[in-house]
Amino acid sequence: MNSISNINYLPIPIVIIDLQSDEALSNLAFNEAFGFSVANLKALNKRLAQAIVPEYPLENNGYNTINNQNNEFVSVIIASNITDHHKAILSLQIIEPDFKFFFKNKSCVKLFSNIPLGIIIKHLDTDETLFVSDYLISKIEYSFEEIAKNPWRVFTYKEDIALQETMMNKKLKNGMNAVFFDKRIISKSGKIFWFSEYIRTFEHLGEQYQIIALRDVSNEKEIETELQRSKQIVEDAERLKSAFLDNMPHEIRTPLHAITGFTSLLADPDLSNEERIEYVKFIQDSSNDILNLMDNIIEIAKLETNQIKPKREKCYVNSIIDKAYSDIVAKQNILEKEHLEVKAFKDNPDPMFTVVSDPERIHQILSHLLNNALKFTEIGSIEFGYQVANNNQIDFFVKDTGIGISPEERKIIFKKFGKSGNINTNKNRGSGLGLTLSKKLIELLNGQINLESEKGKGSTFTFRIPIDNEQKITITRPSVSGDINWKSKTILIVEDTDSNYFFIEAFLERTHANLIWAHNGFEAISMFNENKVDLILMDIMMPEMDGYEATKQIREINSTVPIIAQTALALPDDEEKCYESGCNYVLVKPISSEDLIATVKRFLP
């Protein structure tokens, strides 16, 4: 077939076939375009059959789609012509692909739909959407028709529309072919996805097309947001902790200075009785300041580790208000702020008005809020009280005419160690834990706290908590007023420190109880076996045998005798360990005489 040399120079792929022998020859253009040459018709048909897209079978004189040597889809014109009885010429002319035709090809659509990317291809001249990948349709839950007929911004999260338009305007203004940015898209069901969006415009055969490729980056954004949040929390905590530690030496040294100073003055034999009483009061107040600071830190630690459970007891609400009023008036005298007017409001004047909640925590919250109000108020008044709301809720409030709180300060005052104002000023003394503790206690009671304030015009703190009217209650702190006669009762005091025993002895002196003293756990077990004991006050940290083990062994002997733990350990889990060992109640040192007697009275008839 000598004619092959004549067609080698033609730029059109051509194959000449001898119909009798099936011999076939291809020219250079064919070999280069399809990557193979043919020697016979059978080989040609096999090769073409492998290349032809199944959905578009080979047709004579037709418009067909096949794979070229680079495994790319191309469109070809195939024409055949029988020149004589023995020969036929097959001409295959490669033409540039038509995108509209391309995306009507099911194999092409399948190829793109299997890619885990959202893909949209649009014909910009006609504003026709040619293709939307199945992946994107399944992700955002809109159909091809819904995506095709709406502008792309319709599906964009409202706050990201401006970003999208800015980027597209920048692309047009600067003549850019592509832009790349992150944005959110809202699915049909309302779910929000973060996508990394790539938009590219290109020209083909004189027509303008646009491809939008989207990669789901929701998980990456969530991780990034969480990392940023964690970073901010750590930075805030470090800043507030630094402020706390900078201020703490002052907070501890000031009351310690008063304690050591007035203690030395008490040794003066020439002191009058009035002076001695005044100095003792200063020592007590300063000691309470340190104890309150330590108690607040420990209390927050317990709350943060879920070591405190709310109680459900009968609350004499007006008694709580009266106690808070007495406390704040007493503090007025200490801080020399008697000129401030303090007013208490009771929505229900009945002294026996009760609700079921946690009276200890309510009083604690009011105390913190009132102390803050007194600290930051120089002129005017402080008002506090409660109002019964609907739906079994009660609102407590503390209102002052003090310095007020700015919007910036409101962001930190409920955070640990956060304080309003300059921490170095004398007016703002304090650890910055009171409001943090108040908020956590209110949340413990399933309530919420609100603040209204204006700089220079005072503040109003309001907290609402749910209440119950159930009548099945347990009173944890009975009245200690009047005479108590426990002459027939024996109380075993287990305490290794002499001074602590003598304190307890002095507290219980007026009850006429019979007291016996064990210095450690071994003695406690022995004395319990030798005496008819009605109640045990058990110290926890002791030499030889601690209170935990002593309690366990006594419980093996007697399961009903009341055992009250008295411990200086007040960290999370300490109380739980006391109860697990068999104690009925836990008192945290230092213990006041009122708390001690009220607690003992719970267990002794």
Side-chain angles (χ1 to χ4, degrees), residues 318 348-354 386:
N318 290 332
N348 188 332
D350 182 1
M352 301 304 292
F353 168 59
T354 60
Y386 70 92

Side-chain angles (χ1 to χ4, degrees), residues 236-254:
D236 288 347
E238 284 298 317
R239 179 175 56 81
L240 293 172
K241 185 175 72 173
S242 297
F244 170 74
L245 293 175
D246 289 344
N247 201 39
M248 201 42 46
H250 179 268
E251 296 303 320
I252 295 177
R253 284 180 179 273
T254 299

Side-chain angles (χ1 to χ4, degrees), residues 355-374:
V355 298
V356 175
S357 185
D358 191 327
E360 180 183 349
R361 300 305 177 193
I362 293 173
H363 178 265
Q364 196 175 355
I365 296 163
L366 282 174
S367 295
H368 285 304
L369 296 178
L370 285 169
N371 288 340
N372 262 15
L374 185 61

Side-chain angles (χ1 to χ4, degrees), residues 251-472:
E251 296 303 320
I252 295 177
R253 284 180 179 273
T254 299
L256 279 177
H257 177 71
I259 292 169
T260 55
F262 285 110
T263 301
S264 63
L265 289 175
L266 285 175
D268 186 351
D270 297 328
L271 279 180
S272 67
N273 190 50
E274 290 77 12
E275 289 175 321
R276 197 177 301 277
I277 291 173
E278 184 180 3
Y279 292 170
V280 168
K281 188 174 183 302
F282 277 122
I283 293 171
Q284 289 175 334
D285 291 339
S286 297
S287 299
N288 287 333
D289 285 345
I290 295 177
L291 286 172
N292 287 336
L293 173 61
M294 300 308 298
D295 285 345
N296 288 347
I297 293 174
I298 292 168
E299 190 90 342
I300 288 176
K302 289 181 177 181
L303 286 165
E304 289 182 339
T305 52
N306 298 317
Q307 297 297 310
I308 297 178
K309 305 298 180 186
K311 299 173 184 175
R312 296 178 68 253
E313 304 169 356
K314 181 179 286 187
C315 302
Y316 291 91
V317 182
N318 290 332
S319 295
I320 295 174
I321 297 298
D322 291 339
K323 177 70 166 61
Y325 181 85
S326 299
D327 291 345
I328 199 66
V329 169
K331 281 215 164 187
Q332 271 187 281
N333 299 328
I334 297 171
L335 299 178
E336 299 179 348
K337 291 190 175 183
E338 296 94 336
H339 58 281
L340 293 177
E341 182 183 9
V342 178
K343 294 181 282 188
F345 172 78
K346 302 173 183 177
D347 190 29
N348 188 332
D350 182 1
M352 301 304 292
F353 168 59
T354 60
V355 298
V356 175
S357 185
D358 191 327
E360 180 183 349
R361 300 305 177 193
I362 293 173
H363 178 265
Q364 196 175 355
I365 296 163
L366 282 174
S367 295
H368 285 304
L369 296 178
L370 285 169
N371 288 340
N372 262 15
L374 185 61
K375 186 189 304 181
F376 294 106
T377 304
E378 297 300 325
I379 58 173
S381 64
I382 297 173
E383 300 177 38
F384 74 101
Y386 70 92
Q387 187 169 13
V388 180
N390 296 325
N391 302 322
N392 288 335
Q393 294 178 318
I394 188 169
D395 293 333
F396 291 90
F397 70 91
V398 175
K399 181 179 181 181
D400 65 63
T401 57
I403 62 174
I405 303 169
S406 69
E408 293 75 22
E409 292 167 337
R410 289 179 214 174
K411 297 176 183 178
I412 66 167
I413 59 171
F414 288 110
K415 295 182 180 180
K416 218 170 356 182
F417 315 127
K419 298 169 62 179
S420 65
N422 185 340
I423 65 166
N424 296 317
T425 62
N426 196 40
K427 288 182 179 180
N428 295 318
R429 279 191 56 207
S431 60
L433 295 175
L435 288 178
T436 304
L437 184 53
S438 297
K439 185 174 185 292
K440 289 186 178 294
L441 287 171
I442 291 166
E443 291 171 348
L444 178 73
L445 300 180
N446 294 321
Q448 57 185 18
I449 187 169
N450 293 305
L451 166 63
E452 293 180 7
S453 184
E454 187 176 344
K455 199 69 175 174
K457 294 186 178 181
S459 304
T460 300
F461 288 88
T462 305
F463 65 95
R464 169 173 288 189
I465 58 172
I467 55 177
D468 203 336
N469 293 317
E470 291 183 11
Q471 296 305 309
K472 296 180 91 176

Side-chain angles (χ1 to χ4, degrees), residues 431-577:
S431 60
L433 295 175
L435 288 178
T436 304
L437 184 53
S438 297
K439 185 174 185 292
K440 289 186 178 294
L441 287 171
I442 291 166
E443 291 171 348
L444 178 73
L445 300 180
N446 294 321
Q448 57 185 18
I449 187 169
N450 293 305
L451 166 63
E452 293 180 7
S453 184
E454 187 176 344
K455 199 69 175 174
K457 294 186 178 181
S459 304
T460 300
F461 288 88
T462 305
F463 65 95
R464 169 173 288 189
I465 58 172
I467 55 177
D468 203 336
N469 293 317
E470 291 183 11
Q471 296 305 309
K472 296 180 91 176
I473 54 173
T474 304
I475 301 176
T476 59
R477 186 172 177 173
S479 171
V480 295
S481 61
D483 293 334
I484 300 173
N485 189 351
W486 290 333
K487 190 174 182 178
S488 62
K489 305 297 181 182
T490 298
I491 299 176
L492 171 59
I493 301 173
V494 188
E495 177 60 69
D496 67 314
T497 305
D498 292 359
S499 59
N500 288 342
Y501 171 77
F502 293 135
F503 275 128
I504 295 172
E505 184 183 46
F507 291 162
L508 295 175
E509 184 179 7
R510 69 186 177 98
T511 69
H512 311 295
N514 177 35
L515 306 180
I516 54 178
W517 181 14
H519 294 80
N520 57 57
F522 288 114
E523 285 189 18
I525 296 168
S526 176
M527 295 180 76
F528 181 78
N529 284 323
E530 296 170 0
N531 297 273
K532 182 181 179 301
V533 176
D534 297 288
L535 183 139
I536 302 172
L537 291 173
M538 179 70 72
D539 186 25
I540 296 300
M541 297 302 293
M542 295 183 295
E544 298 185 46
M545 180 187 288
D546 62 26
Y548 297 127
E549 184 59 32
T551 300
K552 289 177 183 177
Q553 293 196 25
I554 289 173
R555 280 286 171 246
E556 292 177 0
I557 302 168
N558 187 307
S559 62
T560 60
V561 63
I563 302 178
I564 300 171
Q566 39 171 343
T567 176
L569 296 173
L571 295 174
D573 295 333
D574 291 331
E575 288 188 27
E576 192 64 30
K577 287 174 66 177

Side-chain angles (χ1 to χ4, degrees), residues 33-35 51 66-74 94:
F34 295 98
I66 69 173
N67 281 319
N68 69 1
Q69 62 176 335
N70 297 320
N71 201 31
E72 297 170 340
F73 288 116
V74 297
I94 299 177

